[in-house]
Amino acid sequence: MASLGAYINKKVLIITADSRILVGELTAADNSTNLVLKSAVERIIREPDDDEASTVIPLGLYLVRGDNVCSIGLVDEKLDDSINWTEVKGSPIGGIKHI
């Protein structure tokens, strides 16, 4: 948790084990990397050949279990706010394979 202390009350992006992209203000974290996000959204990025627009789904207050967190990082809020996420397209991240 010591390394996440600097992220508290800041906007973060989390990639989960099932390839979900979550963005929100980190309000709490513990030693097991359980995370609480305030004003959280999930970004569903569509593939380039998909006619459907990418989506941003509001989640509100959201808890992410530590065993589901693959990556967490700070968001450049000015850059993030300048992007229309419904127009963004990309390839899927892919899931985790347990061997």
Side-chain angles (χ1 to χ4, degrees):
M1 172 31 203
S3 61
L4 290 178
Y7 289 20
I8 299 294
N9 298 322
K10 295 187 176 151
K11 190 173 186 179
V12 297
L13 182 141
I14 299 168
I15 298 175
T16 66
D18 58 352
S19 303
R20 295 173 65 199
I21 300 170
L22 306 171
V23 180
E25 183 181 329
L26 183 66
T27 58
D30 66 11
N31 290 334
S32 298
T33 319
N34 294 309
L35 308 173
V36 178
L37 297 177
K38 180 172 77 171
S39 305
V41 297
E42 178 178 1
R43 292 182 181 155
I44 300 173
I45 307 299
R46 304 290 179 194
E47 294 187 51
D49 58 349
D50 192 338
D51 292 335
E52 192 174 343
S54 294
T55 326
V56 178
I57 301 170
L59 302 172
L61 188 64
Y62 203 76
L63 172 68
V64 183
R65 284 182 43 148
D67 61 354
N68 198 27
V69 175
C70 283
S71 179
I72 181 170
L74 289 174
V75 172
D76 180 334
E77 292 190 54
K78 185 176 179 183
L79 175 62
D80 191 64
D81 291 342
S82 72
I83 297 171
N84 180 351
W85 289 102
T86 61
E87 295 177 357
V88 172
K89 299 284 184 167
S91 299
I93 296 171
I96 292 177
K97 291 184 182 180
H98 295 281
I99 298 174

